[in-house]
Amino acid sequence: MLAYTDIDPHKKAFIFELDNVLYPEKDYLLQVYYLFASFIEYVETVPAAGELIAFMKKVYENHGAQRIFDKASEVFGIDEKYRENFERLHHTAKLPLKLLLFSQILPLLQDMVVDRKQVFIITNGDPKQQLNKTKQIEWHGLDEYLVIYFAKETVLKPDTATLEHIMGKYNLIRRDLLIIGASHIDQEFAQAAGVDYLDVGLLE
């Protein structure tokens, strides 16, 4: 396991993905499902919110976030007219609980900021949804030191266009950078850019 002190001190800037790198994405999605299930129980009385939440959680844990509305609709007879509510919640939900950074990420970001390193987030997700997430993360004041780029507004990773823009704007070269990710996309992104890569799972 690695700590900040194990990272090359010559690195000037760090590039993160958002979901499952800085915080666990499931913490956002499960709260969205909770809000949707509570809404359905309120307007339709059935199914009970607890039952629908448990079902959606099980589907998510076993199959991921794809087609959750479809599967819930099949099992519980949820009207198609509520699909829009479900999708809108993903972009606008005001969560009951703050999203918490991974326990190893908070001190890492704090060390980077104290060390006057530049910290960027390049995220592939839907810009509205990703922005909504960032507003509900407990940053402990670190957010003012982060610069966020939504790759979908230019071209998605592993294309390096957003990274090239950052290097030009902030006068950085490849050896100055470290990409920290958790997926094959981020690995390919780093390889395509010729930039060092670190899997977030290696951090302590």
Side-chain angles (χ1 to χ4, degrees):
M1 301 298 278
L2 302 174
Y4 178 67
T5 51
D6 298 312
I7 295 172
D8 181 353
H10 296 101
K11 296 299 181 186
K12 296 179 181 178
F14 299 89
I15 316 290
F16 293 86
E17 177 53 85
L18 181 64
D19 297 327
N20 300 319
V21 176
L22 296 180
Y23 87 106
E25 185 183 20
K26 69 178 178 61
D27 289 359
Y28 181 83
L29 293 174
L30 293 180
Q31 290 194 70
V32 169
Y33 303 155
Y34 166 81
L35 292 170
F36 180 72
S38 299
F39 165 75
I40 291 296
E41 183 184 55
Y42 177 75
V43 296
E44 294 288 346
T45 69
V46 291
E51 189 177 355
L52 181 54
I53 292 164
F55 174 82
M56 297 175 95
K57 181 180 179 183
K58 186 174 181 181
V59 171
Y60 173 74
E61 290 173 345
N62 288 292
H63 305 287
Q66 302 302 314
R67 296 191 68 244
I68 281 189
F69 180 89
D70 295 327
K71 294 177 187 296
S73 182
E74 290 169 12
V75 172
F76 295 101
I78 297 171
D79 196 298
E80 178 66 22
K81 69 183 180 183
Y82 294 120
R83 183 185 296 273
E84 184 182 346
N85 300 84
F86 182 71
E87 293 175 353
R88 190 187 316 119
L89 270 176
H90 281 74
H91 297 99
T92 63
K94 298 293 183 282
L95 303 181
L97 301 172
K98 277 277 194 182
L99 299 172
L100 302 180
L101 297 169
F102 281 120
S103 59
Q104 73 274 28
I105 287 294
L106 176 57
L108 180 72
L109 290 176
Q110 289 171 329
D111 287 341
M112 289 173 178
V113 167
V114 168
D115 215 9
R116 298 189 175 183
K117 305 294 186 179
Q118 292 175 291
V119 182
F120 301 94
I121 297 170
I122 303 178
T123 178
N124 261 6
D126 178 89
K128 287 184 179 178
Q129 183 173 335
Q130 300 303 80
L131 181 61
N132 192 46
K133 291 171 182 175
T134 63
K135 290 178 178 178
Q136 298 181 79
I137 291 175
E138 179 53 77
W139 291 108
H140 299 276
L142 292 166
D143 46 322
E144 62 181 288
Y145 301 101
L146 308 177
V147 181
I148 301 175
Y149 286 87
F150 304 104
K152 200 169 185 179
E153 294 179 346
T154 51
V155 58
L156 295 176
K157 297 181 294 183
D159 191 288
T160 62
T162 304
L163 189 64
E164 301 286 347
H165 169 77
I166 288 172
M167 287 192 291
K169 182 174 181 179
Y170 294 92
N171 196 29
L172 296 164
I173 57 177
R174 281 168 172 74
R175 69 168 177 264
D176 294 333
L177 306 175
L178 178 66
I179 292 172
I180 300 176
S183 69
H184 70 278
I185 294 290
D186 284 322
Q187 258 186 309
E188 291 174 19
F189 177 52
Q191 288 170 356
V195 169
D196 289 339
Y197 175 78
L198 176 64
D199 190 287
V200 73
L202 296 176
L203 295 168
E204 63 181 25

